[in-house]
Amino acid sequence: MRQPTLTSRLLSLASLAALAQAELGKIHWRGPCDLTNATDMSESGPLICGTLEVPLDYTDLSSNKTITLDLAKWPATKKPVAEPILFNFGGPGENSFEGLGLYGEEFQAILGGHNDLIAFNPRGVGNTLPFSCYSDSASRELASLQAPADSRASDTALGDIWAQSANVAQACYALNNQTGSFIGTSFAARDTMQVVDALQGKDALLNFWGFSYGTTVGAVIAAMFPDRMGFVALDGVDNPAEVLNGYNAQETVDVDKVLEGFCTGCMAAPDLCPLANLYDSAANLEAAIYMMLDTLKYNPIAIPEIGGVVTYSDIRSTIYEALYLPSSWPLTSELILYVQARNTTVLGLSEVYETIKSYSESASLTSSAKEAGTGVTCSDRARPASMEELLPYIRTRQALSKIASDDANSYMTCAQWNKKMYAKEHYTGSFNVKTANPVLILSNTFDPITPLAAAKNLTATFEGSVLLEQNGYGHTTLSMPSLCTAKAVRAYFTNGTLPANGTVCETDVPLFTNLTYQDVWPKNFQRSVEARNDVNTFRALMSIRDKMSRRRIW
């Protein structure tokens, strides 16, 4: 990895010059957001929407072409109003309006209410340089059925995936060949700084909370603009160098440990996990789950009533998805029980069947949003390869985890990506930087996609940064409520206070639970915590947990 070049520094200055030339840099707040077509937006609250013009191509100093970023703001609820905090909810391909609209009230409670919370849809998402590979849902669904989601599904799956990935790459190029090279993580980083400039001026510092892939964006921003980092929290950290330049097998290193946690939690809560009544140990339950998956490879479940079939890919993908969020584990245990019993009545219910099918469709084509994610990933990766060259990386992922996806679809699509859609700017510099303010890095002990090891690696590269470990399971610290973690985040964004090195926060609910806020707070906190802020914060954490569960599992 090389240090940022003089060229990259000049491009940073040039982007400001391009703004001045095009008379850009002003946010036009339109008023309350019209999100009637978005999902789950009945709880969007006082979200305000606006637009900001930014350069289309930061690498072309002679161009005055622009694009429009769609912004959203959840206003501060208390005075005095402090500096704004920008959010990136990950993906890539996630709609930031949905994230801020759904959880804005909770984030205000966690952070104290004194900051405007800002999010914008990155390139490829929503109306911001839209990226989609299919013009209608029927074409998208047909494409998703041409190959399995995992190369372990059958002896011929690898070839099927390679062939269909070529089709996907071509379909993406056909609809995006004029704009596909203008999306990617470096562009997201520069756009973020343009938003900061517009909000507070070109010398302002960035305050930022990024989740999942949002931590990759945050890491690139910090590496490209270290002197402009205010309070930056990265939650659920991936290895940014591998995300941008490699194949990132490390992301699966803890997946099977999360499944072990599922089994251990199940055996400890037989009233909420019916599987616990069938086995005498967590190890035997885990072995039974793997045996069930192997059986499905060669003996899938026919559902004659709807003409459907439940396959290995369906159930493996659904279990893997559920590992992201422990609050979904009681329902997941019921699903596993129904699959073991080959209960076609339940599995054939439209809500159940459609859910498990949505997790297993190939080539990440379950929605145009996932196509945008493919566009960002492949444009960033910019690395052609043959199927033979990819096999070692696919086999490595398979060796690390039996339950996680082997990512063959992503690898093979990106390997056949049209070079004309490689991102025009691709960060290849070092992440060994000293930021103006130290970064707060957060990670669960067991995360199924952004492991603790990756968080430790990034902490070692950002000078002065501190890792806060949350002793829990799931993806990002928000997947399990922890008042300890939330109070540390608030202290950091309030005045830059970092937890001590080596701090480990415990979670406040068990893995399998049907406890509500009203159950947990009086039981666990009445005698030890009395501050009103803590009451509101914990209520917000439980609300996030409940909302996340409703969105991810039927």
Side-chain angles (χ1 to χ4, degrees):
M1 304 296 292
R2 62 177 184 273
Q3 294 293 330
T5 63
L6 176 61
T7 300
S8 67
R9 296 190 182 98
L10 290 175
L11 286 174
S12 176
L13 297 174
S15 68
L16 298 178
L19 276 176
Q21 179 183 1
E23 298 183 349
L24 309 178
K26 293 183 179 179
I27 297 175
H28 300 282
W29 295 111
R30 298 191 306 267
C33 295
D34 179 11
L35 299 172
T36 54
N37 294 325
T39 59
D40 288 335
M41 296 312 298
S42 59
E43 304 172 79
S44 60
L47 206 62
I48 297 172
C49 279
T51 58
L52 173 67
E53 297 291 311
V54 300
L56 169 68
D57 185 1
Y58 294 101
T59 71
D60 184 353
L61 307 186
S62 65
S63 174
N64 61 3
K65 294 181 179 179
T66 66
I67 61 169
T68 302
L69 297 181
D70 284 332
L71 283 76
K73 172 172 65 175
W74 192 293
T77 58
K78 297 179 182 177
K79 295 186 181 299
V81 177
E83 295 176 350
I85 300 173
L86 273 68
F87 282 72
N88 187 302
F89 294 99
E94 288 294 320
N95 188 307
S96 296
F97 285 17
E98 291 189 21
L100 190 58
L102 192 62
Y103 306 117
E105 182 176 2
E106 288 82 0
F107 283 129
Q108 287 289 16
I110 291 169
L111 294 166
H114 291 282
N115 309 87
D116 288 339
L117 310 183
I118 308 292
F120 69 91
N121 277 337
R123 299 172 185 224
V125 179
N127 296 320
T128 306
L129 209 65
F131 189 102
S132 180
C133 303
Y134 296 90
S135 57
D136 58 81
S137 58
S139 299
R140 180 172 296 113
E141 183 175 357
L142 178 62
S144 72
L145 299 174
Q146 302 307 306
D150 189 286
S151 70
R152 290 167 292 191
S154 73
D155 294 340
T156 62
L158 271 172
D160 293 341
I161 294 171
W162 177 260
Q164 180 58 5
S165 295
N167 292 337
V168 172
Q170 175 56 35
C172 294
Y173 176 73
L175 292 185
N176 303 279
N177 57 75
Q178 299 299 310
T179 56
S181 63
F182 299 118
I183 66 175
T185 302
S186 292
F187 282 110
R190 293 195 183 278
D191 287 344
T192 301
M193 296 311 298
Q194 298 289 356
V195 174
V196 176
D197 292 346
L199 287 168
Q200 295 181 276
K202 65 180 182 180
D203 296 324
L205 300 181
L206 168 67
N207 301 307
F208 179 89
W209 193 352
F211 301 92
S212 193
Y213 166 75
T215 69
T216 299
V217 176
V220 171
I221 298 172
M224 293 173 68
F225 305 95
D227 295 338
R228 296 194 57 188
M229 294 302 99
F231 302 142
V232 174
L234 305 179
D235 190 342
V237 176
D238 223 329
N239 184 328
E242 283 296 307
V243 170
L244 298 176
N245 305 298
Y247 292 100
N248 200 21
Q250 184 190 47
E251 68 183 2
T252 64
V253 70
D254 284 337
V255 177
D256 292 0
K257 294 178 183 176
V258 181
L259 184 64
E260 290 177 13
F262 169 90
C263 295
T264 300
C266 173
M267 298 304 296
D271 290 343
L272 294 171
C273 184
L275 291 168
N277 299 307
L278 303 179
Y279 302 95
D280 58 7
S281 70
N284 286 340
L285 170 56
E286 184 183 3
I289 291 173
Y290 288 127
M291 184 179 297
M292 174 191 72
L293 292 174
D294 286 339
T295 298
L296 286 171
K297 281 186 183 181
Y298 306 101
N299 190 15
I301 303 171
I303 306 181
E305 293 83 357
I306 60 172
V309 177
V310 173
T311 69
Y312 160 84
S313 292
D314 296 334
I315 303 305
R316 185 205 58 77
S317 299
T318 303
I319 294 173
Y320 179 43
E321 179 78 11
L323 296 182
Y324 281 52
L325 193 63
S327 60
S328 72
W329 290 4
L331 280 175
T332 304
S333 70
E334 292 183 19
L335 173 67
I336 293 171
L337 188 69
Y338 294 135
V339 174
Q340 287 181 327
R342 304 177 75 85
N343 186 324
T344 60
T345 300
V346 173
L347 297 175
L349 292 173
S350 59
E351 192 175 14
V352 175
Y353 188 77
E354 290 170 9
T355 297
I356 62 178
K357 284 296 181 182
S358 73
Y359 294 140
S360 70
E361 288 179 341
S362 69
S364 297
L365 295 175
T366 53
S367 68
S368 59
K370 293 191 176 182
E371 291 165 25
T374 297
V376 171
T377 300
C378 294
S379 296
D380 273 343
R381 188 165 288 164
R383 180 186 296 185
S386 66
M387 184 166 69
E388 290 71 22
E389 290 171 323
L390 294 177
L391 287 178
Y393 301 103
I394 294 172
R395 300 304 188 209
T396 296
R397 286 181 68 99
Q398 292 175 349
L400 286 172
S401 173
K402 293 179 283 187
I403 201 71
S405 167
D406 65 6
D407 222 17
N409 276 297
S410 176
Y411 287 177
M412 291 184 177
T413 300
C414 293
Q416 300 176 87
W417 205 242
N418 193 296
K419 294 181 180 180
K420 293 181 181 179
M421 291 209 300
Y422 288 172
K424 291 196 70 175
E425 182 176 11
H426 179 78
Y427 183 72
T428 56
S430 172
F431 291 95
N432 291 290
V433 296
K434 182 177 182 179
T435 51
N437 291 281
V439 174
L440 174 62
I441 296 175
L442 303 108
S443 177
N444 275 330
T445 303
F446 300 107
D447 187 305
I449 191 65
T450 53
L452 179 62
K456 290 180 177 179
N457 290 344
L458 191 61
T459 305
T461 65
F462 283 148
E463 183 175 338
S465 64
V466 170
L467 169 62
L468 174 62
E469 178 183 345
Q470 179 172 291
N471 186 24
Y473 292 79
H475 184 39
T476 81
T477 61
L478 293 178
S479 61
M480 292 192 73
S482 169
L483 186 60
C484 168
T485 299
K487 292 175 73 171
V489 170
R490 178 188 287 194
Y492 177 67
F493 278 111
T494 299
N495 53 30
T497 301
L498 286 164
N501 283 310
T503 297
V504 177
C505 282
E506 298 297 327
T507 57
D508 295 316
V509 297
L511 289 173
F512 279 75
T513 182
N514 56 5
L515 296 175
T516 65
Y517 159 77
Q518 288 82 358
D519 298 320
V520 177
W521 183 265
K523 178 180 178 181
N524 292 356
F525 298 101
Q526 191 174 43
R527 293 182 178 84
S528 59
V529 180
E530 297 182 7
R532 183 173 181 83
N533 281 339
D534 290 343
V535 174
N536 293 335
T537 298
F538 190 73
R539 182 184 288 114
L541 292 171
M542 293 294 285
S543 177
I544 288 175
R545 169 187 175 274
D546 293 342
K547 288 181 179 180
M548 290 176 72
S549 183
R550 292 203 304 269
R551 285 166 61 84
R552 298 194 71 89
I553 296 293
W554 63 88

